[in-house]
Amino acid sequence: MAWDAGSGSDPGGPHAELAGQWAAALGGGPRNHVVPMSSAETRSLLSTLAKEFVTAATGQAPAERVAELGGKLARSHFVGDEVLGRSLTVLNAYLLGCGAVPAGRAAELLGAFATGYLRAFRAWLLAEQESVRSADIAARRVVEQQLRASEARLRAVFSQAGIGTGLSDMTGRIIEVNNAFAAMLGYRPEEMCSLSVTDLTHPDDGPDMWQKYAGVLAGKYDNVQLEKAYRHRDGGTVWTHINVSLIRDEQGRPQYTLVLVEDVSERRALRERLQYRAHHDQLTGLPNRSRFFDALTAAFADCARVGICYIDLDHFKTVNDTFGHAVGDELLAQVAARLNACVSRTDQLVARMGGDEFVVLIPHSTGVDEMANVARTVLHALAQPFYVHEHQLTVTASIGVMEERADRLSTGEFLQAADTSMYWAKAAGRGRYAIFDADRGRREHTSAELSAAMPSALRHGEFYLDYQPIVSLTSERTVAVEALVRWRHPDLGILSPARFVEIAEDNGHIGALGAVVLETACRASREWHDRFPHTPTVSVNVSAAEVADPAWLDHVQQVIAETGMDASLLQLELTERAFMQTTGRPLRALHTLADAGVRIAIDDFGTGYSNLAYLGQLPLHVVKLAGPFIQRIRTPDTASPTDLLLLETIIDLTHALGFTVTAECVETRHQADQLRDLGCDTAQGWHFHYPMPADQVTTLLGAADLRLS
């Protein structure tokens, strides 16, 4: 019979192409057993079946609907040799080619189609057998011959099908398998028929798989699909995707199980390779960042306590820059191997986070001591020289240690704490570990928040000044005031300079903050000058970073000019350490201001390493003694002869250099009296006045003028 694959009831769409391929596949070989159908009938049937199959495959139609299509093919007397096998091959090729049907769904559809076909074919056989019983002897012989031919064709369906197919009874005895299934496992079909389904168990079979198979035997499920491993005859493993369908008798009782088997070993191996690459670092072979986060999440879900060592190699960039990336990569691989040897339990994980950063994750940790021991083990392992491409390299690492109960913080907070402590180790000198301290972490977190909030605070005027009077020790008259900046934080309240000045220096805002202080203090000085004949000097603290700014000198001169204040009423204070860093142009800027009448003071004298000869070259007017010196003579009991001698020596040397002396942090009358007796010129501290707002300074100055008048 000639088959025309180029036409159909609906020439458009993917089903038309499928119908054509289906017709071409069934057109090969002898067709004497097929009940004759006209070409139009053939085209119409296959076009209808193809269209319904495409609709079912691309939609969410139940498998039973596809089974009806297989039954319709058999009931249309397409029951010849290879009909089912060729049909399954064509349908499988379509499902693979369209790309829109998952592998599991494709196997389910093919299994349903085969089940429906076999059910209808079996019904046809039963009908033929019934006709044999009612026919006369001559007709019976003819029908029996037809039945034998039909049974032969059914066996051909199994033997010739391109997909692995097997049939077993309800006891698990294998009745028949085709060549594809047998060859898949290295057997001949007749050899497999001597086995039972349970003989094909594999160590990798999960208990749920056999529970599902038992459900099919019990009639609970009509169809199940799963991934199963079979033992190949040569001892290897064949991974398959199987679809098990239940075939019932005319009373609906379970009678046979039909299994369709697809070899997915290569697909599974590819999937495992891709999965491995997705979760492992290609250079070192260690689990990667993604795998680490999975393990960390699992540890937090399962463990009471979790520990981690966050490892960063010190100066690794130098290795790449000096010896090249090939050496750097090999060094990382060797480091990874040594780190891997530092863990002993299977649940512990060493991972590469990226670059030269690694982590050691310890689920079920016993405490900080255990984690510290792991960190020491890592440092010892890395201390031995590395030999890479004929180079001997020495590597150190900074390690952050974090250990905590899993229910007290999130994984993100946990990892951030480990990362923070690693930077503490770097700041402490590298080549060591640091254990996370929550109090320190909170302080640093607050500092980071203050740093981020500082630009807005400067714009919105949150900074203001208090002033602490500086008095003459002989007359106790206010001769100067020191401007002290405060931050009126909207959430944290009033913050002292100790909380934010260093932050301003680190984040580059010290210039803007210093400008606010200088301008505010100079405006206040001008107001006092206009009201009182005895106007005090205003002392403003200046950082080394401000003085080093090329624009700083111009700004100071501009503020003096704009406020109209007398330059001699402005005093700029730099710390001892800042002065030691001030050379070149910054030092010339100070000389320029001193020549214009601005007073220059060295603050916290005695806390650094001052060179007296260098002090003589500075444009200094005042030396302010640091608080620790003054604290030693707080009371008669605390003041030793040595302390007094030291203070007297410093005061005498300072006077010899032509400077005046101011004592800071004077809190008692005894301190004031001793300093006056030692020749100290001025002092400031709580004994005299607490820092106060500008209006209180105005009141203080007004009262002093009344006394003098």
Side-chain angles (χ1 to χ4, degrees):
M1 176 184 294
W3 294 79
D4 182 4
S7 61
S9 61
D10 185 359
H15 71 275
E17 181 179 356
L18 174 59
Q21 295 171 350
W22 203 343
L26 295 183
R31 312 303 302 167
N32 298 332
H33 53 275
V34 178
V35 175
M37 297 177 67
S38 67
S39 297
E41 290 175 319
T42 300
R43 290 196 300 271
S44 177
L45 173 65
L46 293 180
S47 179
T48 299
L49 293 178
K51 184 174 183 179
E52 293 183 10
F53 185 84
V54 170
T55 301
T58 56
Q60 296 297 323
E64 189 58 34
R65 181 175 172 185
V66 178
E68 293 174 0
L69 300 181
K72 186 180 293 186
L73 180 67
R75 287 191 295 272
S76 299
H77 302 291
F78 279 85
V79 292
D81 296 340
E82 307 179 20
V83 169
L84 179 57
R86 293 189 181 194
S87 296
L88 291 176
T89 300
V90 170
L91 297 178
N92 187 49
Y94 162 74
L95 293 173
L96 291 175
C98 73
V101 181
R105 172 68 171 165
E108 179 186 12
L109 296 175
L110 294 177
F113 186 90
T115 300
Y117 183 92
L118 292 173
R119 286 176 183 169
F121 185 79
R122 183 179 178 281
W124 180 79
L125 283 177
L126 292 174
E128 291 294 316
Q129 290 172 349
E130 182 63 27
S131 67
V132 168
R133 286 193 292 270
S134 60
D136 56 24
I137 296 176
R140 189 177 299 171
R141 289 197 185 99
V142 174
V143 174
E144 287 177 346
Q145 292 173 354
Q146 292 175 345
L147 285 175
R148 285 193 294 272
S150 296
E151 291 172 354
R153 288 194 292 273
L154 180 60
R155 286 191 296 273
V157 167
F158 275 85
S159 63
Q160 300 299 324
I163 189 170
T165 309
L167 193 68
S168 60
D169 63 18
M170 304 313 293
T171 67
R173 182 175 62 88
I174 298 176
I175 298 174
E176 192 163 4
V177 297
N178 67 351
N179 290 325
F181 192 6
M184 193 183 300
L185 305 185
Y187 293 93
R188 296 192 305 274
E190 57 271 22
E191 291 175 326
M192 288 192 66
C193 289
S194 65
L195 304 174
S196 68
V197 172
T198 55
D199 292 329
L200 301 178
T201 58
H202 191 276
D204 290 334
D205 290 343
D208 60 326
M209 187 195 76
W210 291 105
Q211 290 173 1
K212 289 181 179 180
Y213 180 71
V216 173
L217 295 179
K220 183 178 179 181
Y221 309 119
D222 280 340
N223 180 272
V224 295
Q225 52 182 319
L226 40 88
E227 194 168 85
K228 172 174 169 50
Y230 285 103
R231 181 81 69 187
H232 194 276
R233 193 168 193 170
D234 64 7
T237 297
V238 179
W239 280 96
T240 67
H241 186 279
I242 66 174
N243 187 293
V244 183
S245 299
L246 180 64
I247 300 177
R248 301 176 183 269
D249 61 16
E250 57 272 16
Q251 282 76 37
R253 294 187 297 265
Q255 190 172 23
Y256 302 108
T257 57
L258 174 70
V259 60
L260 298 181
V261 186
E262 180 185 8
D263 187 345
V264 295
S265 298
E266 292 186 4
R267 187 189 311 165
R268 180 184 174 89
L270 175 61
R271 183 179 69 201
E272 290 179 345
R273 288 196 300 272
L274 292 176
Q275 187 175 20
Y276 182 87
R277 293 184 62 180
H279 291 92
H280 288 78
D281 176 56
Q282 295 186 36
L283 175 64
T284 64
L286 292 177
N288 61 11
R289 187 182 186 89
S290 174
R291 175 68 185 90
F292 163 74
F293 277 109
D294 289 343
L296 181 63
T297 301
F300 264 65
D302 298 338
C303 306
R305 304 191 70 91
V306 181
I308 186 176
C309 289
Y310 201 108
I311 305 162
D312 183 89
L313 303 185
D314 298 326
H315 304 300
F316 178 75
K317 184 177 181 298
T318 303
V319 175
N320 279 335
D321 293 344
T322 304
F323 302 103
H325 287 277
V327 172
D329 288 348
E330 175 60 25
L331 176 60
L332 289 174
Q334 291 190 26
V335 167
R338 291 193 188 181
L339 293 179
N340 225 9
C342 291
V343 299
S344 56
R345 299 202 317 255
T346 57
D347 63 337
Q348 297 173 344
L349 179 75
V350 177
R352 183 187 180 197
M353 298 294 283
D356 60 346
E357 294 184 350
F358 300 84
V359 292
V360 179
L361 176 65
I362 310 292
H364 306 286
S365 63
T366 59
V368 172
D369 290 343
E370 179 189 10
M371 298 310 305
N373 185 57
V374 172
R376 287 190 291 268
T377 301
V378 169
L379 291 175
H380 177 74
L382 298 181
Q384 309 306 314
F386 290 86
Y387 297 92
V388 183
H389 296 185
E390 300 180 353
H391 300 288
Q392 178 177 320
L393 304 176
T394 301
V395 174
T396 62
S398 299
I399 304 176
V401 176
M402 176 60 181
E403 198 277 342
E404 187 53 273
R405 287 180 57 88
D407 58 353
R408 290 183 177 174
L409 70 176
S410 67
T411 56
E413 293 168 336
F414 181 81
L415 190 60
Q416 179 62 49
D419 186 61
T420 297
S421 55
M422 181 269 289
Y423 281 105
W424 292 348
K426 281 193 177 297
R430 295 182 169 86
R432 66 196 65 208
Y433 68 89
I435 299 173
F436 182 75
D437 175 68
D439 291 337
R440 179 179 177 182
R442 280 190 291 270
R443 291 194 300 271
E444 293 194 354
H445 181 73
T446 300
S447 297
E449 290 183 333
L450 292 178
S451 178
M454 191 166 288
S456 175
L458 288 166
R459 290 194 303 270
H460 292 92
E462 295 177 10
F463 294 97
Y464 69 96
L465 298 185
D466 277 342
Y467 300 87
Q468 186 171 40
I470 300 173
V471 302
S472 167
L473 284 173
T474 56
S475 67
E476 293 196 0
R477 182 175 64 85
T478 299
V479 296
V481 291
E482 180 178 357
L484 302 171
V485 65
R486 311 296 194 231
W487 184 352
R488 188 179 286 107
H489 194 281
D491 299 320
L492 301 177
I494 304 302
L495 303 181
S496 71
R499 295 285 301 276
F500 58 84
V501 168
E502 186 175 349
I503 295 173
E505 292 177 340
D506 291 341
N507 65 17
H509 294 302
I510 191 63
L513 179 61
V516 169
V517 174
L518 179 66
E519 293 165 12
T520 304
C522 288
R523 283 195 300 269
S525 177
R526 176 57 196 241
E527 292 177 6
W528 294 324
H529 182 270
D530 291 342
R531 297 184 59 178
F532 307 109
H534 303 287
T535 305
T537 301
V538 173
S539 190
V540 176
N541 291 280
V542 181
S543 72
E546 290 178 86
V547 179
D549 186 347
W552 178 74
L553 174 60
D554 291 339
H555 178 69
V556 175
Q557 293 172 329
Q558 180 183 356
V559 170
I560 293 173
E562 289 180 351
T563 60
M565 73 175 296
D566 188 336
S568 64
L569 296 178
L570 175 63
Q571 177 172 290
L572 301 178
E573 294 186 18
L574 281 80
T575 64
E576 186 176 5
R577 181 175 300 177
F579 264 114
M580 299 308 293
Q581 299 173 2
T582 304
T583 58
R585 180 179 44 75
L587 182 58
R588 290 195 296 272
L590 292 176
H591 276 285
T592 299
L593 291 173
D595 292 341
V598 175
R599 294 170 62 82
I600 308 296
I602 183 170
D603 194 15
D604 291 332
F605 182 79
T607 58
Y609 299 93
S610 297
N611 184 317
L612 292 178
Y614 179 64
L615 290 180
Q617 302 173 18
L618 297 175
L620 282 178
H621 301 87
V622 179
V623 171
K624 300 186 72 174
L625 297 178
F629 286 110
I630 312 306
Q631 191 65 29
R632 295 177 184 177
I633 61 170
R634 179 179 174 82
T635 65
D637 295 335
T638 60
S640 69
T642 302
D643 293 329
L644 294 174
L645 178 61
L646 177 60
L647 280 172
E648 184 178 19
T649 302
I650 294 175
I651 292 170
D652 290 344
L653 284 173
T654 302
H655 286 156
L657 291 171
F659 311 142
T660 61
V661 181
T662 298
E664 298 180 295
C665 303
V666 177
E667 298 177 349
T668 67
R669 169 52 62 182
H670 178 75
Q671 289 171 319
D673 292 341
Q674 288 287 340
L675 288 166
R676 183 188 63 248
D677 294 344
L678 292 173
C680 184
D681 303 295
T682 57
Q684 67 185 102
W686 293 350
H687 172 66
F688 301 106
H689 297 284
Y690 286 91
M692 62 185 70
D695 58 349
Q696 292 185 21
V697 174
T698 301
T699 301
L700 179 67
L701 295 177
D705 273 1
L706 287 175
R707 288 195 300 272
L708 291 174
S709 62

